[in-house]
Amino acid sequence: AGSGLWVRVCSTMTIISAQELAGRLREKSVVLLHVLPEEHFAAGHLPGALNLCAYETAFPQRVREAVPELDTPVVVYGEGGA
């Protein structure tokens, strides 16, 4: 484990439906990350989501620990609005 800047670059991004996400979560073929602070996560989150707050300085390290394989698909979500 070295120090310094760690960056994971996304080579592709795909929009998937809620139904497809549910299927991938059942298959355990994707990691679901809720990236808002813990109080947002506690107020409500998708089943199976991990809470890794993107605002924390430890975020890159926590992602690396949660998703050690670089080829693992990751779904990242927070709040959205219309």
Side-chain angles (χ1 to χ4, degrees), residues 5-70:
L5 181 63
W6 175 83
V7 177
R8 178 174 287 182
V9 177
C10 178
S11 60
T12 61
M13 187 169 78
T14 305
I15 296 173
I16 62 173
S17 68
Q19 183 177 16
E20 184 174 352
L21 174 60
R24 289 184 183 194
L25 289 170
R26 275 192 302 277
E27 297 165 356
K28 299 185 189 288
S29 64
V30 66
V31 174
L32 181 61
L33 298 182
H34 180 280
V35 297
L36 293 176
E38 188 174 328
E39 56 270 14
H40 289 263
F41 186 78
H45 60 274
L46 296 175
L50 301 175
N51 182 220
L52 302 179
C53 180
Y55 301 119
E56 295 177 1
T57 57
F59 178 72
Q61 177 63 32
R62 292 190 65 209
V63 172
R64 187 180 337 174
E65 292 167 358
V67 191
E69 299 297 323
L70 292 177

